[in-house]
Amino acid sequence: MAEQPAEQTPQVWLAGASRGDAQSWQSLVEAYSPRVYALIVRQTGDPELAEEITQATFVSLVENLKGYDESGRFDPWLFRIAMNRLRDEMRRRKRQARTMDMSADNSQEDSEWAGVQTRVVDLTGSRAQPTPIDGLAHKEQVEKVRAAVAKLNEADREIIMLRHTAGLSFAEIAESLGQPLGTVLARGHRALGKLRKLLQDEMEANTKTEPKKA
Amino acid sequence: MNGRQEQDRRDGWTPDDSLEPLLDEALDASSLPGGVPAGLGDRVLAATAHRLDKPGVLARIGPRGWSAVAACVAMALSLGIWVNVPLNTATPGGGTPTTLAHNDEATLKREINALAEYNGPSDAIDHDLTLLAMKFDRHDLPETTDTYWTGDDDAEADSVDPSGGALF
């Protein structure tokens, strides 16, 4: 990611906003609200909820500006607030039995994926594997990946989204989630493994349904 | 090596060079199906703007605002209600001067100072000036430097307008 000019960094905006500078706050909101929204909408598939959580996130942010200890870790802080708001909302909805229980089948899925996990978690580097969709056109590959991500369970999707939608590093994800870096790395490998398996299954299913050429 | 690769290396992550670029492209905020809703930023700003801590009035008022403050002070002076309480004046009957005039003066000075420190939007200072003018209008202290006196025991309790109404 390109380095931002000194006057355009979140830290500068934060300092201004904490002094009540509306322009700094606006810059911060404009820079980050699309990322927060995208993270939540991809996580939930619910645009209205995503906007609600986005607003709640920035309300929390503005209320805690004074207490923010600037150490260049704004992104993890912001996305942690967003994920906490999302969890709060999920718990509330669960209590009200209004569906949207995104983690209902997590335990079952986790056991289903256990075998996959043992195959794909290779911290020494299993990166040379070809992606199952390598033969497809690029646009089609992107669509397949997007569809496969949507099939992941919440925990796996969370890691993938924080990295590829929120743009956090694994260290920042660990900070956002309050988990050890090693745990988050393992979760990342597991999520990618599941994704790879989903894409493989998808390709195999397509191959079976395609009419054989004479 | 770009910043992300360097960070991955520090984190101990070996990037999946075939899958992760596709994930970046598929999941980037700008690639949302339907995009980010129009006006999202404005709605977030609307929901949060009033929670921003406003800076001091003086810092926000700017030079032009001073003319409004000067007008306010001139108005106060023209109304003749600038209260000058002579301390150390002999008190008839040995009473204690009430804090009425002092309070009014102090309050008005505080408000004028607050306006002087104001640097927010002009419609807000207009509003504040209007409020202050209303207070001056409602001010029914005599247009003299007379002070009001009560007995010592009632000094605190009676620090109100002699007509019986609260000042503000």
Side-chain angles (χ1 to χ4, degrees), chain B:
Chain B
M1 185 177 284
N2 63 31
R4 181 175 179 176
Q5 289 171 328
E6 174 61 24
Q7 183 63 47
D8 283 345
R9 191 188 60 76
R10 281 201 298 267
D11 292 347
W13 174 260
T14 308
D16 184 328
D17 293 333
S18 59
L19 194 50
E20 291 199 75
L22 289 173
L23 282 166
D24 284 335
E25 192 169 339
L27 303 177
D28 185 77
S30 62
S31 69
L32 268 183
V36 173
L40 172 69
D42 291 340
R43 289 190 290 279
V44 171
L45 287 172
T48 56
H50 65 286
R51 289 179 166 89
L52 267 184
D53 284 337
K54 298 296 180 191
V57 177
L58 190 58
R60 290 189 286 158
I61 190 168
R64 295 181 63 184
W66 279 104
S67 60
V69 175
C72 179
V73 173
M75 180 177 64
L77 292 173
S78 67
L79 287 171
I81 57 172
W82 195 255
V83 182
N84 178 20
V85 181
L87 294 175
N88 304 320
T89 302
T91 60
T96 302
T98 69
T99 55
L100 172 61
H102 276 306
N103 283 347
D104 291 339
E105 185 180 32
T107 302
L108 292 174
K109 280 181 175 175
R110 269 202 308 275
E111 294 200 17
I112 290 169
N113 285 338
L115 283 171
E117 292 172 2
Y118 184 80
N119 69 357
S122 58
D123 56 341
I125 195 170
D126 286 346
H127 176 71
D128 289 348
L129 284 171
T130 304
L131 285 178
L132 188 57
M134 288 170 63
K135 289 179 181 178
F136 277 121
D137 289 343
R138 281 163 43 196
H139 204 299
D140 51 3
L141 284 175
E143 297 177 12
T144 70
T145 57
D146 290 350
T147 55
Y148 300 97
W149 304 92
T150 70
D152 288 337
D153 295 343
D154 298 325
E156 287 299 318
D158 288 348
S159 58
V160 293
D161 185 299
S163 66
L167 273 174
F168 300 122

